[in-house]
Amino acid sequence: DDSAAVQAAFMSVPKDGTDWGDQNGGIIEFPSGSYVVNDVVPYEGSLIRGTGLWDSSIRSTTATYASFYLNQLTGPGTTIENLHFSTGGGAGTQTAIRSYNSNGLIVRGCWFNGYKGIDIRSATDVFVSQNFFECSYGVVIGTSGGGDNPYHIQIEGNEFYNNGVSAIKSYAVQYCVIANNIFYKTGDIGKTLDIVSDHGLNIEGNVFFYEGTVSSTSAAIYLDVANNISITGNNIYGTV
């Protein structure tokens, strides 16, 4: 388990002040190899990067929250790029990246497989682009109980492949853009976009390759008590 060493790397970044929240900036780079990372909390303004999707692999095994847990970070945003995340271990319900009550997150150029890729809760200004998701849940925004109110989430230019439950599952998000993504789904294996109680959502310019039965449990786009939703310029091939 490399978690302690990775957390120590963040702690080695010089501080601006004396408090945890004063930790600011720094580049944490993962050379080629495989790393077990559980519940590491990055500092604000960090750049976390690997040397490439096929070279630097992050695996969670016992994480309570995620490999990287952005917990109440309110300063400069955090960027995570060029890493392969594999989530398993325990009951097989691990998460790669969770942003909780934090401002500013960019995730780009990463590959996710396993259970859950990115979990966004009570967070604002999250940008997810140029990633490849082949996990049960690609991106989850908010929680089923509501009250999280994620705000200003952009998911653009990604590829989602046969996500077993949902490529993107969204609860009560405000002002979210899902644009220019490619979704592949074969068989009756859940909903590609599962949108619940959202307010102000644009779904535009996406391509869906969908082969499966359309029902309340399986569809390319599924809306449930959603308000102010714009669906424009998408192409859906296969079973609509």
Side-chain angles (χ1 to χ4, degrees), residues 99-103 120-124 141-143 146-151:
S99 179
Y100 173 72
N101 200 22
S102 295
N103 300 331
I120 302 167
R121 303 188 181 193
S122 300
T124 60
I141 310 170
T143 59
D148 288 330
N149 298 321
Y151 181 84

Side-chain angles (χ1 to χ4, degrees), residues 15 44 47 82 84 86 91 101 109 154 166 191 201 209 239:
K15 286 189 175 184
E44 297 163 343
L47 168 59
N82 298 332
H84 170 219
S86 179
N101 200 22
Q154 294 179 262
S166 295
K191 305 164 188 174
L201 171 64
F209 296 94
T239 306

Side-chain angles (χ1 to χ4, degrees), residues 93-130:
T93 56
Q94 302 288 306
T95 299
I97 300 168
R98 175 177 289 183
S99 179
Y100 173 72
N101 200 22
S102 295
N103 300 331
L105 170 64
I106 297 173
V107 182
R108 60 192 178 203
C110 294
W111 170 26
F112 298 87
N113 62 20
Y115 182 69
K116 188 183 294 183
I118 302 173
D119 191 1
I120 302 167
R121 303 188 181 193
S122 300
T124 60
D125 296 323
V126 178
F127 186 57
V128 178
S129 68
Q130 305 301 317

Side-chain angles (χ1 to χ4, degrees), residues 159-183:
E159 289 191 35
F160 296 82
Y161 182 77
N162 268 357
N163 307 103
V165 182
S166 295
I168 300 174
K169 189 171 183 67
S170 178
Y171 302 95
V173 67
Q174 298 183 56
Y175 305 107
C176 176
V177 175
I178 300 173
N180 304 316
N181 302 283
I182 300 176
F183 300 93

Side-chain angles (χ1 to χ4, degrees), residues 3-63:
S3 303
V6 175
Q7 190 69 70
F10 282 104
M11 293 176 67
S12 72
V13 176
K15 286 189 175 184
D16 293 335
T18 58
D19 298 325
W20 175 275
D22 294 322
Q23 198 81 14
N24 193 1
I27 299 173
I28 305 299
E29 183 167 287
F30 289 84
S32 179
S34 180
Y35 305 86
V36 174
V37 179
N38 297 297
D39 294 325
V40 166
V41 179
Y43 288 154
E44 297 163 343
S46 298
L47 168 59
I48 306 166
R49 68 186 183 194
T51 56
L53 298 183
W54 307 106
D55 298 324
S56 303
S57 179
I58 304 294
R59 182 165 57 95
S60 63
T61 55
T62 61

